[in-house]
Amino acid sequence: MSLSALKSLGRDFELSKKKMRSIIRGFHLEMDNGLSGRTSSLKMIPTYVGRPTGREKGKYIAIDLGGTNFRIVSLTLKGRGVSSDHHVMKFALRKRDIASTGKRLFKFLAGSVKTFIKENRISRLGHIDLGFTFSFPVNQTGIASGTLVMWTKGFSASGVEGRDVVALLKRSLEEEGIGNISVTALANDTVGTLVARSYSDRDCDVGIIIGTGTNACYIEAIRKVRKLKAGRRKPGAMIINMEWGNFNKLKLTRYDRQLDKKSDKPGAQMLEKMVSGMYLGETCRLIMKDLISKKVLFGGISPAEFNKEMFFKGEFVSQVLADRTHNLAQIKALLRRSGVKDPSPEDRKIVRRVCELVSIRAARISAAAIVAVVTKTDPSIRRKHTVAIDGSVYEKLPGFSGKIKEAIRELSGRSSGKIRIMLTKNGSGYGAAIIAAVAANKRGSVR
Ligand code: GLC
């Protein structure tokens, strides 16, 4: 019984090379649709930002909103490389900051910037340029303006969707008495990550986040961005924010459907719901609940915790997969803490298998998506490509990055040697500062 339930689960979550190839074809179609302004699950948002020259200089502040923490950094760009004299501050985001009103959220952001300036003794008198990393789908209208299309990742502050988020931030900074700070750039975290890496790596042309949410951006020839008005279609290249989390041509299991139905935005962000850290644990929980009801797990007895939505967090999946003890003692301890009285050796193995299946599927979807992005601009992978990547899932989920690389090799054979996946930590904030430098036109220029 237990074996057949697990086998069918394995089949549901398995992603063969053939299936990955069909994901790649789906991506190419949706990318073209999005670039041409036709209906598409990929928004393919023009960012009005190109690759930095590497010569950008000056002092900047960058703020970064979009994950579990709100981060502020100050740094000095010295041309090719970031100086070490930067300060970083992290502020935990509470539910009441992200899920009440926009006014409250932006007051919190501006208030934190004020604290940051004070604590790091940054002068409040002179002019300061700030790069704003805002990691949500934004309809960008210029390098420092854009309206929020919709909140993702559980954010829901009212009165922000449809509004220009730079204008909202500026107003709050003025209200805090720090209007000397000008918001000179608005960037998605993927764009920040790409820009941060390409400051010193000319081969970098893709930026990816796999963390609380997931998304990618890449460098595209402007003439291919057909939805831009003819006057804006200049020669050269521009970074496109794909918002790949919303890709919706994947085969869903009934657990994915269940998760989606209960989510904030049913039908939206389907790839994100199968890949990112915010949802991986919940998918595992739904499977485990099903296995409990089939009496395959925990002798059919469901501990109360397992009935709570979102109780099985992404970190739990990491802990389960990190257990290298021969009798899975760490999994046992984790299950005990979660209310399972005496998890049998069989239970522990099943829990590990569930976490493996869900996270390997996530890695293989990500790999197919990465190959799709690379082959969109370079179908036979003739050039070198550095893929700058950041995010807790990529960095911390045991085995995840290895599975991505393995699947990329499976898909692109020897050419896979031309694709370098580089962990680019905290790139999103640094990148926003570099974009602010480009925008402030200090010494840089957009190519
Ligand atoms: C979500 C957001 C996207 C962001 C990603 C990673 O998918 O919509 O803008 O880049 O999360 O943080």
Side-chain angles (χ1 to χ4, degrees):
M1 171 62 188
S2 125
L3 211 61
S4 77
L6 284 179
K7 268 200 181 147
S8 97
L9 202 61
R11 275 194 302 274
D12 289 348
F13 278 82
E14 183 259 300
L15 210 62
S16 63
K17 186 165 161 183
K18 198 166 153 215
K19 287 186 194 156
M20 288 195 287
R21 288 212 179 288
S22 102
I23 295 180
I24 296 178
R25 283 194 299 276
F27 254 89
H28 285 166
L29 280 173
E30 289 291 90
M31 287 172 88
D32 274 335
N33 286 338
L35 288 171
S36 310
R38 293 188 290 266
T39 309
S40 170
S41 61
L42 295 176
K43 295 188 184 71
M44 307 300 284
I45 302 169
T47 62
Y48 306 96
V49 174
R51 208 198 286 270
T53 61
R55 294 190 298 274
E56 292 78 7
K57 288 186 178 173
K59 285 197 171 165
Y60 297 92
I61 290 184
I63 68 173
D64 190 346
L65 179 77
T68 17
N69 292 304
F70 171 57
R71 268 186 316 201
I72 310 183
V73 298
S74 73
L75 67 155
T76 307
L77 301 173
K78 293 186 167 172
R80 227 162 259 286
V82 172
S83 83
S84 54
D85 72 349
H86 62 261
H87 305 284
V88 185
M89 255 169 109
K90 251 192 194 176
F91 299 81
L93 287 166
R94 294 154 305 183
K95 185 90 186 155
R96 60 174 186 271
D97 296 319
I98 65 170
S100 61
T101 64
K103 214 171 166 39
R104 180 176 186 133
L105 173 64
F106 280 86
K107 189 176 167 43
F108 166 76
L109 302 187
S112 310
V113 173
K114 196 171 174 179
T115 309
F116 179 83
I117 288 181
K118 204 165 150 202
E119 292 203 359
N120 294 303
R121 299 203 179 82
I122 296 169
S123 158
R124 282 179 55 186
L125 299 173
H127 175 93
I128 303 173
D129 287 318
L130 178 143
F132 181 18
T133 306
F134 183 76
S135 308
F136 300 94
V138 161
N139 243 334
Q140 215 152 336
T141 40
I143 203 162
S145 57
T147 52
L148 173 64
V149 180
M150 65 163 189
W151 285 120
T152 50
K153 301 176 283 197
F155 280 63
S156 60
S158 60
V160 188
E161 286 179 341
R163 306 276 301 276
D164 183 345
V165 292
V166 173
L168 293 176
L169 178 63
K170 275 186 181 158
R171 201 175 62 201
S172 305
L173 291 171
E174 277 158 19
E175 281 168 6
E176 289 294 325
I178 43 175
N180 59 316
I181 299 180
S182 38
V183 187
T184 35
L186 174 66
N188 185 260
D189 50 359
T190 58
V191 178
T193 303
L194 188 161
V195 168
R197 180 102 219 157
S198 50
Y199 192 52
S200 57
D201 177 350
R202 307 302 294 162
D203 295 328
C204 180
D205 55 1
V206 183
I208 294 181
I209 300 287
I210 311 180
T212 310
T214 183
N215 186 17
C217 69
Y218 74 108
I219 300 182
E220 182 60 279
I222 297 179
R223 70 188 151 77
K224 297 253 171 89
V225 193
R226 297 230 187 74
K227 63 182 165 189
L228 282 179
K229 289 206 184 84
R232 294 192 101 159
R233 258 187 272 142
K234 306 203 169 75
M238 184 193 281
I239 301 173
I240 300 294
N241 169 14
M242 296 176 63
E243 287 294 329
W244 84 8
N246 197 46
F247 182 71
N248 67 2
K249 304 284 178 263
L250 298 165
K251 194 169 153 268
L252 308 181
T253 65
R254 62 198 158 105
Y255 310 106
D256 302 312
R257 282 196 206 95
Q258 251 174 290
L259 179 145
D260 179 48
K261 223 168 142 187
K262 286 268 175 87
S263 69
D264 269 5
K265 302 228 157 94
Q269 301 294 102
M270 290 317 297
L271 180 144
E272 184 156 274
K273 285 170 181 160
M274 296 161 88
V275 168
S276 83
M278 180 155 174
Y279 306 99
L280 281 182
E282 178 66 359
T283 308
C284 294
R285 184 191 70 92
L286 291 170
I287 300 173
M288 289 189 279
K289 265 200 63 163
D290 187 36
L291 294 177
I292 297 170
S293 76
K294 289 180 172 143
K295 300 205 164 41
V296 174
L297 194 59
F298 309 149
I301 299 166
S302 182
E305 291 293 69
F306 279 76
N307 296 326
K308 289 190 197 145
E309 254 174 67
M310 295 296 202
F311 127 81
F312 202 79
K313 308 230 171 334
E315 296 101 84
F316 292 6
V317 183
S318 280
Q319 285 167 27
V320 165
L321 296 179
D323 191 348
R324 293 263 160 265
T325 61
H326 73 280
N327 59 349
L328 303 180
Q330 279 156 238
I331 299 181
K332 182 177 177 185
L334 172 74
L335 290 174
R336 278 208 163 145
R337 285 197 299 278
S338 312
V340 185
K341 283 219 178 67
D342 197 12
S344 69
E346 185 67 12
D347 287 335
R348 299 173 225 165
K349 276 194 208 146
I350 295 175
V351 168
R352 186 178 62 184
R353 183 74 188 131
V354 168
C355 293
E356 248 169 33
L357 285 173
V358 173
S359 57
I360 293 176
R361 182 184 68 165
R364 290 175 76 81
I365 293 174
S366 309
I370 292 172
V371 172
V373 178
V374 168
T375 53
K376 181 79 178 71
T377 58
D378 184 10
S380 345
I381 320 186
R382 291 190 199 283
R383 285 181 276 122
K384 285 191 196 159
H385 301 268
T386 303
V387 175
I389 189 162
D390 197 7
S392 50
V393 171
Y394 182 80
E395 195 193 354
K396 299 201 181 119
L397 192 65
F400 191 81
S401 58
K403 286 287 173 201
I404 288 194
K405 288 175 188 159
E406 191 182 296
I408 292 181
R409 274 196 298 278
E410 214 175 304
L411 285 167
S412 31
R414 287 171 81 201
S415 320
S416 65
K418 296 229 171 75
I419 306 176
R420 278 202 321 157
I421 316 265
M422 300 301 290
L423 178 67
T424 305
K425 284 189 64 164
N426 302 331
S428 56
Y430 297 143
I434 297 167
I435 298 168
V438 171
N441 208 7
K442 289 274 152 66
R443 261 178 219 108
S445 65
V446 180
R447 247 195 4 180

